[in-house]
mmCIF file of all heavy atoms in Angstrom:
data_model
loop_
_atom_site.group_PDB
_atom_site.id
_atom_site.type_symbol
_atom_site.label_atom_id
_atom_site.label_comp_id
_atom_site.label_asym_id
_atom_site.label_seq_id
_atom_site.Cartn_x
_atom_site.Cartn_y
_atom_site.Cartn_z
ATOM 1 N N LYS A 63 166.085 86.817 131.772
ATOM 2 C CA LYS A 63 167.242 85.989 131.415
ATOM 3 C C LYS A 63 168.309 86.104 132.491
ATOM 4 O O LYS A 63 168.481 87.159 133.084
ATOM 5 C CB LYS A 63 167.813 86.442 130.069
ATOM 6 C CG LYS A 63 167.030 85.836 128.916
ATOM 7 C CD LYS A 63 167.770 85.936 127.599
ATOM 8 C CE LYS A 63 166.930 85.284 126.518
ATOM 9 N NZ LYS A 63 166.591 86.183 125.419
ATOM 10 N N PHE A 79 152.832 86.158 128.452
ATOM 11 C CA PHE A 79 153.491 85.668 127.258
ATOM 12 C C PHE A 79 154.932 86.139 127.350
ATOM 13 O O PHE A 79 155.195 87.307 127.641
ATOM 14 C CB PHE A 79 152.840 86.228 125.975
ATOM 15 C CG PHE A 79 153.598 85.841 124.747
ATOM 16 C CD1 PHE A 79 153.398 84.597 124.174
ATOM 17 C CD2 PHE A 79 154.537 86.698 124.182
ATOM 18 C CE1 PHE A 79 154.123 84.209 123.051
ATOM 19 C CE2 PHE A 79 155.267 86.322 123.065
ATOM 20 C CZ PHE A 79 155.052 85.070 122.499
ATOM 21 N N LEU A 80 155.878 85.226 127.123
ATOM 22 C CA LEU A 80 157.301 85.556 127.221
ATOM 23 C C LEU A 80 157.969 85.278 125.885
ATOM 24 O O LEU A 80 157.890 84.159 125.355
ATOM 25 C CB LEU A 80 157.941 84.699 128.315
ATOM 26 C CG LEU A 80 159.455 84.782 128.483
ATOM 27 C CD1 LEU A 80 159.886 86.139 129.018
ATOM 28 C CD2 LEU A 80 159.947 83.692 129.427
ATOM 29 N N CYS A 81 158.624 86.288 125.314
ATOM 30 C CA CYS A 81 159.363 86.076 124.060
ATOM 31 C C CYS A 81 160.696 85.437 124.401
ATOM 32 O O CYS A 81 161.485 85.998 125.161
ATOM 33 C CB CYS A 81 159.565 87.388 123.310
ATOM 34 S SG CYS A 81 160.550 87.144 121.814
ATOM 35 N N SER A 82 160.945 84.274 123.827
ATOM 36 C CA SER A 82 162.167 83.536 124.169
ATOM 37 C C SER A 82 163.382 84.143 123.492
ATOM 38 O O SER A 82 164.506 83.797 123.813
ATOM 39 C CB SER A 82 162.013 82.066 123.788
ATOM 40 O OG SER A 82 161.587 81.969 122.453
ATOM 41 N N ASN A 83 163.179 85.064 122.545
ATOM 42 C CA ASN A 83 164.312 85.684 121.876
ATOM 43 C C ASN A 83 164.757 86.983 122.568
ATOM 44 O O ASN A 83 165.909 87.131 122.934
ATOM 45 C CB ASN A 83 163.967 85.952 120.410
ATOM 46 C CG ASN A 83 165.168 86.407 119.613
ATOM 47 O OD1 ASN A 83 166.200 85.751 119.612
ATOM 48 N ND2 ASN A 83 165.048 87.547 118.963
ATOM 49 N N CYS A 84 163.826 87.915 122.791
ATOM 50 C CA CYS A 84 164.221 89.209 123.355
ATOM 51 C C CYS A 84 163.815 89.356 124.822
ATOM 52 O O CYS A 84 164.068 90.382 125.426
ATOM 53 C CB CYS A 84 163.635 90.350 122.529
ATOM 54 S SG CYS A 84 161.852 90.518 122.700
ATOM 55 N N ASP A 85 163.172 88.332 125.384
ATOM 56 C CA ASP A 85 162.829 88.349 126.809
ATOM 57 C C ASP A 85 161.661 89.279 127.125
ATOM 58 O O ASP A 85 161.397 89.567 128.291
ATOM 59 C CB ASP A 85 164.061 88.755 127.632
ATOM 60 C CG ASP A 85 164.144 87.979 128.933
ATOM 61 O OD1 ASP A 85 163.524 86.910 129.014
ATOM 62 O OD2 ASP A 85 164.818 88.449 129.857
ATOM 63 N N MET A 86 160.964 89.766 126.113
ATOM 64 C CA MET A 86 159.811 90.647 126.313
ATOM 65 C C MET A 86 158.707 89.875 127.033
ATOM 66 O O MET A 86 158.442 88.724 126.735
ATOM 67 C CB MET A 86 159.320 91.143 124.953
ATOM 68 C CG MET A 86 158.157 92.114 124.991
ATOM 69 S SD MET A 86 156.519 91.371 125.172
ATOM 70 C CE MET A 86 156.267 90.638 123.590
ATOM 71 N N LEU A 87 158.102 90.551 128.008
ATOM 72 C CA LEU A 87 157.029 89.945 128.778
ATOM 73 C C LEU A 87 155.762 90.743 128.538
ATOM 74 O O LEU A 87 155.789 91.966 128.524
ATOM 75 C CB LEU A 87 157.417 89.989 130.247
ATOM 76 C CG LEU A 87 156.717 89.069 131.224
ATOM 77 C CD1 LEU A 87 156.964 87.618 130.863
ATOM 78 C CD2 LEU A 87 157.228 89.341 132.624
ATOM 79 N N GLY A 118 157.211 81.993 123.363
ATOM 80 C CA GLY A 118 157.173 82.000 121.909
ATOM 81 C C GLY A 118 157.986 83.162 121.387
ATOM 82 O O GLY A 118 158.913 83.616 122.057
ATOM 83 N N LEU A 119 157.630 83.627 120.204
ATOM 84 C CA LEU A 119 158.328 84.768 119.615
ATOM 85 C C LEU A 119 157.364 85.933 119.484
ATOM 86 O O LEU A 119 156.242 85.759 119.012
ATOM 87 C CB LEU A 119 158.853 84.420 118.212
ATOM 88 C CG LEU A 119 160.096 83.543 118.127
ATOM 89 C CD1 LEU A 119 160.422 83.260 116.670
ATOM 90 C CD2 LEU A 119 161.283 84.197 118.818
ATOM 91 N N CYS A 120 157.804 87.129 119.900
ATOM 92 C CA CYS A 120 156.955 88.306 119.756
ATOM 93 C C CYS A 120 156.919 88.721 118.293
ATOM 94 O O CYS A 120 157.693 88.225 117.477
ATOM 95 C CB CYS A 120 157.444 89.438 120.643
ATOM 96 S SG CYS A 120 158.955 90.218 120.060
ATOM 97 N N LYS A 121 156.040 89.651 117.982
ATOM 98 C CA LYS A 121 155.847 90.098 116.600
ATOM 99 C C LYS A 121 157.158 90.592 115.987
ATOM 100 O O LYS A 121 157.519 90.235 114.872
ATOM 101 C CB LYS A 121 154.811 91.228 116.614
ATOM 102 C CG LYS A 121 154.303 91.625 115.256
ATOM 103 C CD LYS A 121 153.249 92.701 115.419
ATOM 104 C CE LYS A 121 152.834 93.268 114.085
ATOM 105 N NZ LYS A 121 151.906 94.391 114.259
ATOM 106 N N LYS A 122 157.873 91.415 116.760
ATOM 107 C CA LYS A 122 159.120 92.020 116.285
ATOM 108 C C LYS A 122 160.160 90.945 115.971
ATOM 109 O O LYS A 122 160.765 90.946 114.905
ATOM 110 C CB LYS A 122 159.645 92.994 117.353
ATOM 111 C CG LYS A 122 160.869 93.771 116.941
ATOM 112 C CD LYS A 122 161.318 94.702 118.059
ATOM 113 C CE LYS A 122 161.878 93.923 119.189
ATOM 114 N NZ LYS A 122 163.163 93.835 119.609
ATOM 115 N N CYS A 123 160.359 90.020 116.901
ATOM 116 C CA CYS A 123 161.375 88.972 116.718
ATOM 117 C C CYS A 123 160.985 88.027 115.596
ATOM 118 O O CYS A 123 161.823 87.598 114.822
ATOM 119 C CB CYS A 123 161.576 88.192 118.005
ATOM 120 S SG CYS A 123 162.325 89.191 119.280
ATOM 121 N N ASN A 124 159.707 87.727 115.524
ATOM 122 C CA ASN A 124 159.192 86.860 114.480
ATOM 123 C C ASN A 124 159.545 87.433 113.118
ATOM 124 O O ASN A 124 160.045 86.731 112.234
ATOM 125 C CB ASN A 124 157.678 86.775 114.631
ATOM 126 C CG ASN A 124 157.155 85.414 114.259
ATOM 127 O OD1 ASN A 124 157.832 84.642 113.574
ATOM 128 N ND2 ASN A 124 155.958 85.111 114.682
ATOM 129 N N GLU A 126 161.876 89.802 112.448
ATOM 130 C CA GLU A 126 163.332 89.880 112.281
ATOM 131 C C GLU A 126 163.916 88.533 111.893
ATOM 132 O O GLU A 126 164.746 88.440 110.999
ATOM 133 C CB GLU A 126 163.985 90.366 113.577
ATOM 134 C CG GLU A 126 163.950 91.872 113.712
ATOM 135 C CD GLU A 126 164.445 92.363 115.068
ATOM 136 O OE1 GLU A 126 165.078 91.562 115.808
ATOM 137 O OE2 GLU A 126 164.183 93.524 115.379
ATOM 138 N N LEU A 127 163.460 87.482 112.570
ATOM 139 C CA LEU A 127 164.019 86.154 112.306
ATOM 140 C C LEU A 127 163.612 85.673 110.913
ATOM 141 O O LEU A 127 164.393 85.030 110.233
ATOM 142 C CB LEU A 127 163.596 85.170 113.378
ATOM 143 C CG LEU A 127 164.215 85.431 114.757
ATOM 144 C CD1 LEU A 127 163.691 84.455 115.786
ATOM 145 C CD2 LEU A 127 165.738 85.363 114.721
HETATM 146 ZN ZN1 ZN B 1 160.891 89.267 121.015
#
Side-chain angles (χ1 to χ4, degrees):
K63 278 196 179 122
F79 174 82
L80 174 69
C81 177
S82 51
N83 188 53
C84 70
D85 218 21
M86 182 278 288
L87 199 62
L119 284 177
C120 73
K121 191 178 172 185
K122 185 180 70 110
C123 292
N124 215 341
E126 277 173 15
L127 291 177

